[in-house]
Amino acid sequence: PPPPSRPQFFLIATPTLTMMKLAVLATLAASAAAFAPVQTGKASTALKAFEGELGVQPPVGFFDPLGLLDEADQERFDRLRYVEVKHGRIAQLAFLGNIFTRAGGHFGGNIDKAGHPFDSFPNGWAAIWGPDAIPGKGFVQIFSFIGLLEIAVMKDMPGFGNQFPGDLRNGTFQSQWDKLDEETQFRKRGIELNNGRAAMMGILGLMMHEQLGGTIPIVGEM
């Protein structure tokens, strides 16, 4: 008898799904900025220069497969670390926001004067793009608010004694942070960095599953 045929699996590519794939690749590239398995030459030089930096930890160690730190100086490393921390913070907000709204949590009241309540709009990507997305003016307001935070609030302002990449206190919360010893400060920064890395993978996973459909434990129907 002929051998049993193997089951075939097909994935229908859509523009949105293609965009999600590109987003995954882009974030993986950005997240790889500060850590790489030791090889030879330039990689060995980068390892020696940055192996003691925050985030270089077991079991992976120094991980920079794209070689973004080859021949890099401290200024470039700090820039890449700032970008990683920033993306991690955004991803944490995005992941928790996605989980919160899918669990039924929404602001009370209406989103506009026409009387559309917040909970009348879908969750996830469908809230931004699709037939039931929030009104265009609402999206402009959200985008403008984020832009205001980006250019005027959530930035490293010189002259305030910020101590490390991603330190955006800008003169605030000094006493609460300074009362911690150096070891505790380093540990807390590491916790934030790792949570951000996990959140970047988490929100991209939710975005992919939303396009594929189905149900995820805790999150629910996608």
Side-chain angles (χ1 to χ4, degrees):
S5 60
R6 296 181 179 178
Q8 301 293 320
F9 298 92
F10 299 93
L11 181 63
I12 300 176
T14 65
T16 302
L17 189 56
T18 301
M19 183 177 64
M20 297 301 179
K21 292 180 180 178
L22 293 176
V24 171
L25 293 176
T27 301
L28 287 174
S31 300
F35 322 88
V38 184
Q39 299 179 4
T40 60
K42 296 179 180 179
S44 298
T45 302
L47 171 63
K48 293 177 181 178
F50 305 113
E51 63 180 351
E53 292 286 349
L54 178 73
V56 181
Q57 58 194 43
V60 178
F62 186 78
F63 185 68
D64 180 21
L66 299 181
L68 298 179
L69 290 176
D70 292 349
E71 299 183 352
D73 55 14
Q74 188 64 44
E75 182 179 359
R76 174 164 174 77
F77 177 89
D78 289 344
R79 171 59 184 169
L80 293 173
R81 171 50 51 81
Y82 173 81
V83 172
E84 181 184 23
V85 171
K86 180 179 180 179
H87 287 175
R89 290 169 177 170
I90 295 172
Q92 289 177 76
L93 292 174
F95 184 85
L96 291 176
N98 207 308
I99 297 296
F100 181 76
T101 54
R102 291 185 184 280
H106 297 88
F107 289 116
N110 300 323
I111 197 173
D112 56 19
K113 294 182 178 179
H116 296 103
F118 283 96
D119 59 5
S120 66
F121 296 95
N123 301 310
W125 180 253
I128 300 175
W129 186 264
D132 299 320
I134 60 176
K137 292 182 178 179
F139 178 78
V140 169
Q141 292 178 40
I142 295 173
F143 187 81
S144 299
F145 178 68
I146 294 173
L148 176 64
L149 294 176
E150 176 72 16
I151 64 177
V153 181
M154 306 303 294
K155 58 185 299 184
D156 188 347
M157 301 179 184
F160 286 98
N162 295 332
Q163 301 172 353
F164 47 84
D167 182 1
L168 306 181
R169 290 174 295 158
N170 299 321
T172 60
F173 303 104
Q174 297 285 11
S175 60
Q176 291 88 341
W177 179 255
D178 292 341
K179 71 181 181 181
L180 302 175
D181 60 72
E182 185 175 346
E183 181 180 354
T184 302
Q185 291 179 351
F186 194 83
R187 180 176 61 83
K188 287 183 175 294
R189 289 174 57 203
I191 291 172
E192 181 192 27
L193 185 63
N194 285 329
N195 285 347
R197 291 170 177 172
M200 284 189 276
M201 297 298 100
I203 188 60
L204 286 173
L206 288 179
M207 293 166 67
M208 292 295 295
H209 277 287
E210 184 177 14
Q211 300 306 311
L212 296 173
T215 303
I216 300 178
I218 299 177
V219 180
E221 186 69 31
M222 299 298 290

